[in-house]
Amino acid sequence: VSKIEQQERVTIRTVAADAGVSVATASKVLRNAYGVSDAAKERVRASMARLGYRPHAAARGMRGQTYTLGVLLPDLRNPFFAEIMDGVNRYLASTPYQALLGLGQSAVRLEHNLVENMLDRQMDGLLLVAPRLPIQEIEDIARRIPTVLIGLHEAGATAYDTVNNDDFESGRLAVRHFAAAGRRRIAYFSLAVAGSPEDTTVIHRENGYRAAMKELGLTRSIRIVHADQTREAIRAAAMHLLRPATRPEAIFCWTDFVAFEVISVARELGLDVPRDVGIIGHDNTAFCDLDIAALTSIDQSGPKLGADAARLLVERIGGRTTSQFITVAPRIVQRGSSAGSRAL
Amino acid sequence: VSKIEQQERVTIRTVAADAGVSVATASKVLRNAYGVSDAAKERVRASMARLGYRPHAAARGMRGQTYTLGVLLPDLRNPFFAEIMDGVNRYLASTPYQALLGLGQSAVRLEHNLVENMLDRQMDGLLLVAPRLPIQEIEDIARRIPTVLIGLHEAGATAYDTVNNDDFESGRLAVRHFAAAGRRRIAYFSLAVAGSPEDTTVIHRENGYRAAMKELGLTRSIRIVHADQTREAIRAAAMHLLRPATRPEAIFCWTDFVAFEVISVARELGLDVPRDVGIIGHDNTAFCDLDIAALTSIDQSGPKLGADAARLLVERIGGRTTSQFITVAPRIVQRGSSAGSRAL
DNA sequence: CTGAAAGCGCTTACAG
DNA sequence: CTGAAAGCGCTTACAG
C-alpha cells in the first residue's frame, strides 16, 4: 500500500493530542462552550493556530451547526440586492457564520427546490429575500429552520422575523413630493402580481400612494397601472399611460428599472421629463445617479436592511423564539426627473 | 422522557428497511452506482419517493460528495454575472449538483477566506468568476479541488479549466466598427489594474485594441486611459480624455458602466454622442437597450460562458484531469451611441 | 448482486 | 474542569 506522505488532515483529534487534552475539551474550545479551564483553552487555541486547523463543516453539521446561512435571492438582476448583501456580509464578518446564496431564478418551483436543498445541507438559518413563495410555505419552512424575510411584510407572522423598508411610507413620500410641486394627477406604475402574497412591497407602496392621494383630496386622480416584469409589457403599459388625453402629470414607479423604461417611452413620444411628466423610481440604484438617467428615486438603505436581517437571524439561531419586525424609513433622493413644478 | 411524535427523520436506513434491502444497496441506488439488480433498484426508488427521502448532505460530505458547487463572485453589482449564473443554473438543473454563491466583496482577503470556507464545507468543485486572487493562489486551490475559472485567461494552466469570452477579439471588433465608420482617433478606456494577473479580460481587450489599431495603420492614434472602478475616478478620467484639443473621435470602454459615465460626461461638456464622439461599451447589459442609454456594446453571451463552465466543472469532478480552455466569440450589438460616421 | 461493518470528524450527554 | 464513548447519516472496501 504505497501511500505518499498524503499530508494527513488536521482534525480535532490532532489538535487534542497536540494540546494534551481530550477531543471533548478541544471541541468545547472550538465552540466557545463553557466548562474549560483558561489554561486548557489557551493550549488548545495555540495548537489550532500552529497546526492550521480548520473545522470540517460537514462533520460539524452531523451533530451541531454548519455555521452556514442560506440566502435566497430571486435573481441577480436587481442591483438593490447587492446593497442588501453588503449589509449582510458586513454584519456576518464579526461572527462565525458564512452566507451562501442560492438563486431562485424568479420561479416558485425553483425557489422551493432551493430551500429544500438548503435544508438538506443543514444550514443553520435562512434569509429569504423577496421570496415568491406562498406565505403558507414560508411558515412551513420557518417551523423547520430559523428564518428571516426581507421584502415581504408580515401578516401577523409568529414563526419568522421580517425586515422591511417602510413601503407604505415610500408611497406617501412620492405623492407628497409631486404634490408639493403642484402636480395633482399622479399615477402609480405597479407590478402585475398574480397570486402573490398580499404583503409584498409593491402592494404596500400602492397602499401608501392611495392613502396620500386621499389625504390630499386627490382621490379622483388615483390611477394605477400594472405590468409584468418584461420590457415589452412595461413599454406597452407606459405607452398607454402616456396617451395625450389622459396623461398624468407625474408617475411613481415601483422600481427604478420601470422608471427608466417609462422615461425612455416618454422621450420617444416627444415629451419632456420632468416638464411634461415627472418621474420617481424606487431603490435609488446606481444608474439613477448617471446624468443620462438623473432619476429621482426612493432610497431604502439596503445595507441596513441586510445587516438587520443578518443580526435577527443570528439571534434566532441563538434561541430567540418571539418574532421581530423591523421597518426602516425610506428617504427620497431628488434628481432631474422630478425637478421643478408643473406650473413652470 | 417525553418525546412527542417528533416525526422521525427518514434516513437511508429507513429507506433500506422499507425496501427490504441493505443500507449499502440503498446507498448504491442513491448514487447511481453499479452492481444493483433492477428489481432492487426499483424497490429502493419507490421507497425513497414514498417516504419523501432526502439525503443528508452533511453526512454524504463526510464520506463522499456534497453535490454542492461553490461559485465565487466578486460582487453583485455587475449585471453580467446574472447572465453567467443563468447559464450555470440552467446546466446544473439536469444534474444532481446545486450551485451556491459566495461574494468576495471585491477584496482579495475576503475572496481568500471565502475559498477556505468553501473547502471547509467540502464542496465538490469551485467556479471562480473574475477572481482577484493571484494566479499562484488559484493554482494552489486548483490542486486541492476541481476548479474552473471564468474571466481570467489561462497562463499555461494545467490544474484548472478556463472559460472566456474572446476578449482579444472584442478589442478588435470595437476598433473595426469605429474604423469602418471613418473614425480614426479611437481610444480605449481601461481599468486601473494594480498588481492583478496579466491575463485579465481587461488586458486582453487592450491587446486586441492595440493589434487592430496597428493593423489599420493607426498606431500613432493609440490612446489608453486607466481609471479605478469608482465613479469619481471614471468621471475625472473622462473629463481629461474629452478635452477639446485632444478629444478622440471614438472611445471603446472596457465595460458598460464606464461607457454610461463617459456618455454622461460628454453630454455635460456639450458634446453630441455619437456625432462628436462615438462610444462602445462591453457586456451588452440590460441598460444598453434603454433609449436613454442606447449604448452600442459587445455581447459576450454570459449564459453560454456559464453553462460551459458548469459543464467543465462537472466533468472535472467526474475525473477529467487534462485542462480545457474554452473561448466564446463576442459579437457587437449596434445602437445609437456609435451610429453614423464621423464624416456626417 | 448483496450485506455487515468500519469509519468519516465532529458534538453530546454522561460519569468522574 | 475533564475525558471515554456513543452516535449523527452516509460511503466504502470487503467478504460472501
Side-chain angles (χ1 to χ4, degrees):
Chain A
V1 192
S2 82
K3 186 177 174 188
I4 312 288
E5 176 74 38
Q6 148 81 71
Q7 193 172 329
E8 301 291 333
R9 190 182 221 289
V10 175
T11 71
I12 199 167
R13 180 157 266 112
T14 326
V15 170
D18 186 80
V21 300
S22 73
V23 168
T25 299
S27 172
K28 279 189 176 178
V29 176
L30 180 60
R31 288 172 291 125
N32 275 317
Y34 63 88
V36 185
S37 67
D38 286 348
K41 211 177 290 180
E42 205 168 312
R43 271 183 296 143
V44 172
R45 292 227 172 93
S47 294
M48 285 179 172
R50 174 148 26 86
L51 299 169
Y53 169 68
R54 300 205 55 109
H56 189 294
R60 304 186 83 173
M62 289 290 294
R63 300 291 289 164
Q65 300 187 234
T66 55
Y67 297 93
T68 306
L69 306 182
V71 179
L72 182 147
L73 251 39
D75 60 69
L76 247 38
R77 296 212 149 64
N78 189 336
F80 178 60
F81 296 151
E83 312 275 333
I84 291 178
M85 288 312 302
D86 279 351
V88 169
N89 282 328
R90 197 161 310 152
Y91 178 81
L92 293 182
S94 65
T95 74
Y97 294 95
Q98 170 74 48
L100 254 24
L101 320 194
L103 304 182
Q105 307 287 85
S106 300
V108 170
R109 190 179 54 79
L110 295 178
E111 282 198 358
H112 172 88
N113 287 344
L114 188 52
V115 168
E116 291 297 327
N117 275 326
M118 288 178 164
L119 288 167
D120 295 342
R121 284 168 177 77
Q122 315 305 118
M123 297 203 164
D124 293 338
L126 249 41
L127 183 55
L128 307 181
V129 179
R132 257 73 167 169
L133 297 168
I135 208 79
Q136 182 53 55
E137 182 165 349
I138 291 174
E139 284 180 4
D140 290 345
I141 294 166
R143 264 191 288 275
R144 296 201 278 167
I145 181 173
T147 302
V148 175
L149 301 191
I150 291 182
L152 191 62
H153 294 261
E154 80 278 7
T158 56
Y160 51 85
D161 305 322
T162 67
V163 178
N164 282 289
N165 173 60
D166 187 342
D167 290 300
F168 187 87
E169 182 62 17
S170 285
R172 297 173 77 180
L173 275 179
V175 169
R176 287 175 182 165
H177 176 82
F178 282 136
R183 306 194 197 238
R184 300 174 57 83
R185 287 187 295 107
I186 305 166
Y188 175 52
F189 197 119
S190 181
L191 174 69
V193 279
S196 285
E198 283 299 293
D199 293 298
T200 56
T201 57
V202 183
I203 300 294
H204 276 234
R205 284 170 206 168
E206 176 175 323
N207 292 342
Y209 159 82
R210 283 183 195 279
M213 291 294 276
K214 218 167 275 180
E215 286 162 19
L216 293 166
L218 302 175
T219 311
R220 303 283 301 272
S221 299
I222 287 177
R223 187 161 169 210
I224 300 172
V225 297
H226 299 271
D228 279 328
Q229 205 147 195
T230 67
R231 211 184 154 208
E232 297 67 37
I234 294 168
R235 290 182 56 86
M239 285 286 184
H240 191 266
L241 181 61
L242 291 169
R243 283 178 313 175
T246 57
R247 193 175 72 225
E249 297 162 346
I251 305 174
F252 167 42
C253 301
W254 79 274
T255 193
D256 287 340
F257 187 77
V258 168
F260 294 132
E261 285 290 2
V262 173
I263 291 178
S264 289
V265 170
R267 297 236 175 103
E268 284 171 46
L269 295 175
L271 299 172
D272 182 275
V273 175
R275 198 195 59 208
D276 300 322
V277 58
I279 311 275
I280 292 184
H282 202 288
D283 290 0
N284 194 33
T285 45
F287 281 89
C288 298
D289 225 18
L290 290 171
D291 287 3
I292 55 173
L295 178 64
T296 296
S297 188
I298 295 178
D299 188 297
Q300 52 175 326
S301 47
K304 177 157 172 47
L305 293 178
D308 281 349
R311 180 172 52 75
L312 289 184
L313 187 51
V314 170
E315 285 175 14
R316 234 180 211 282
I317 293 168
R320 174 166 57 70
T321 52
T322 57
S323 290
Q324 289 203 4
F325 310 110
I326 294 181
T327 297
V328 179
R331 70 194 172 86
I332 198 161
V333 179
Q334 177 164 352
R335 298 193 185 85
S337 71
S338 73
S341 68
R342 177 69 179 126
L344 273 179
Chain B
V1 193
S2 82
K3 186 176 172 188
I4 312 288
E5 175 73 37
Q6 157 71 72
Q7 192 171 327
E8 301 290 333
R9 191 181 218 289
V10 176
T11 72
I12 200 168
R13 181 156 267 114
T14 326
V15 170
D18 187 79
V21 301
S22 72
V23 168
T25 298
S27 172
K28 281 189 176 175
V29 176
L30 179 59
R31 288 172 290 126
N32 277 316
Y34 63 87
V36 185
S37 68
D38 286 349
K41 209 176 292 183
E42 205 168 313
R43 272 182 296 140
V44 172
R45 292 228 171 95
S47 294
M48 285 181 172
R50 175 149 25 86
L51 299 170
Y53 170 69
R54 301 205 54 108
H56 189 293
R60 304 186 83 174
M62 289 289 295
R63 300 292 288 164
Q65 301 188 232
T66 56
Y67 297 95
T68 306
L69 306 182
V71 179
L72 182 145
L73 251 40
D75 60 67
L76 247 37
R77 296 212 150 64
N78 190 336
F80 177 60
F81 296 152
E83 311 276 332
I84 291 177
M85 288 311 302
D86 279 352
V88 169
N89 282 328
R90 197 161 312 152
Y91 178 81
L92 293 181
S94 66
T95 75
Y97 294 95
Q98 169 74 47
L100 253 24
L101 320 193
L103 304 181
Q105 306 287 86
S106 300
V108 170
R109 189 180 53 81
L110 295 177
E111 281 196 0
H112 172 87
N113 287 343
L114 189 52
V115 168
E116 291 298 327
N117 275 324
M118 287 177 164
L119 287 167
D120 294 342
R121 285 170 177 75
Q122 316 304 119
M123 297 200 163
D124 294 339
L126 250 39
L127 183 56
L128 307 181
V129 180
R132 256 76 166 168
L133 296 170
I135 208 80
Q136 183 52 55
E137 182 164 348
I138 291 174
E139 283 179 5
D140 290 344
I141 294 166
R143 265 190 289 275
R144 295 201 279 166
I145 181 174
T147 302
V148 176
L149 301 192
I150 292 182
L152 192 62
H153 295 261
E154 79 279 6
T158 56
Y160 50 86
D161 305 323
T162 67
V163 179
N164 284 288
N165 173 60
D166 187 342
D167 289 301
F168 187 87
E169 182 61 17
S170 285
R172 297 174 78 179
L173 275 180
V175 169
R176 288 177 181 163
H177 176 82
F178 282 135
R183 307 194 196 237
R184 300 173 58 83
R185 289 187 294 107
I186 305 166
Y188 175 51
F189 197 119
S190 181
L191 174 68
V193 280
S196 283
E198 282 299 293
D199 293 297
T200 56
T201 55
V202 183
I203 301 294
H204 277 233
R205 283 170 208 169
E206 176 175 323
N207 293 342
Y209 158 83
R210 282 183 195 279
M213 290 295 275
K214 219 166 276 180
E215 286 163 19
L216 293 167
L218 302 175
T219 310
R220 303 284 301 271
S221 299
I222 288 178
R223 186 160 170 214
I224 300 172
V225 297
H226 298 273
D228 278 328
Q229 203 146 197
T230 67
R231 216 188 149 205
E232 296 68 36
I234 295 168
R235 289 181 57 87
M239 286 284 185
H240 190 268
L241 181 61
L242 291 170
R243 281 177 316 174
T246 57
R247 194 175 72 224
E249 296 164 343
I251 306 173
F252 167 42
C253 302
W254 78 275
T255 191
D256 288 340
F257 187 75
V258 168
F260 293 132
E261 286 289 1
V262 173
I263 292 178
S264 290
V265 170
R267 297 237 174 103
E268 283 171 47
L269 295 175
L271 299 173
D272 182 276
V273 175
R275 199 196 58 209
D276 301 320
V277 58
I279 312 274
I280 291 184
H282 202 288
D283 291 359
N284 195 31
T285 45
F287 281 89
C288 298
D289 224 18
L290 289 171
D291 287 4
I292 54 173
L295 178 65
T296 296
S297 189
I298 295 178
D299 188 297
Q300 52 174 325
S301 48
K304 176 154 172 51
L305 294 178
D308 281 350
R311 179 171 53 74
L312 289 185
L313 187 51
V314 170
E315 285 174 14
R316 233 180 211 282
I317 293 169
R320 175 166 57 70
T321 53
T322 57
S323 290
Q324 290 203 2
F325 310 108
I326 294 182
T327 298
V328 179
R331 68 193 175 86
I332 198 160
V333 179
Q334 176 163 354
R335 298 195 185 83
S337 71
S338 72
S341 68
R342 177 74 178 121
L344 271 181

